[in-house]
């Protein structure tokens, strides 16, 4: 929540899991996570992981993950674990 969020370039967005099941926020498209520039699920676990719009793993209840949006555009995301579950969009101006 919210399904669509508009932020300024350089804004840090924090995803917080308030649900009882795990969620894995990641850029579209499932399953490759390559829509946000530089992101790719295959880079999870590498030294580039901090640059990915990809939590690179499930968040348990109460856990959070933050990402800095430096690229202007409209960035769709999904829940990798619960696909085709929740979707959303971050608009970066």
């Amino acid at each position: 929540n919210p399904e669509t969020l508009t932020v300024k370039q350089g804004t840090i967005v924090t995803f917080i899991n308030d649900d009882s099941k795990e969620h894995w926020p990641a850029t579209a498209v499932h399953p490759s996570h390559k829509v946000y520039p530089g992101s790719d699920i295959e880079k999870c676990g590498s030294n580039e992981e901090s640059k990915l719009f990809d939590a690179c793993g499930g968040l348990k209840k109460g856990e959070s993950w933050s990402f800095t949006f430096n690229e202007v555009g409209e960035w769709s995301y999904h829940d990798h674990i619960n696909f085709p579950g929740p979707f959303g969009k971050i608009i970066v101006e």
Side-chain angles (χ1 to χ4, degrees):
N1 282 328
E3 187 173 319
T4 301
L5 178 66
T6 301
V7 300
K8 299 242 182 264
Q9 185 179 26
T11 297
I12 299 170
V13 174
T14 301
F15 295 80
I16 303 168
N17 185 2
D18 290 330
D19 196 3
S20 59
K21 61 182 176 180
E22 277 189 57
H23 294 279
W24 175 340
T27 188
V29 295
H30 183 77
S32 65
H33 307 173
K34 293 183 179 182
V35 168
Y36 189 86
S39 288
D40 184 336
I41 194 170
E42 292 182 12
K43 294 180 182 177
C44 287
S46 75
N47 59 356
E48 295 182 62
E49 187 170 314
S50 66
K51 301 174 190 171
L52 308 178
F53 178 12
D54 192 329
C56 291
L59 304 176
K60 294 178 177 37
K61 182 178 176 110
E63 292 183 329
S64 65
W65 172 76
S66 298
F67 182 74
T68 304
F69 286 87
N70 290 317
E71 299 287 338
V72 172
E74 295 189 9
W75 309 113
S76 295
Y77 66 92
H78 68 289
D79 181 344
H80 182 74
I81 293 174
N82 299 293
F83 189 80
F87 290 90
K89 182 185 297 184
I90 308 289
I91 301 169
V92 182
E93 299 176 331

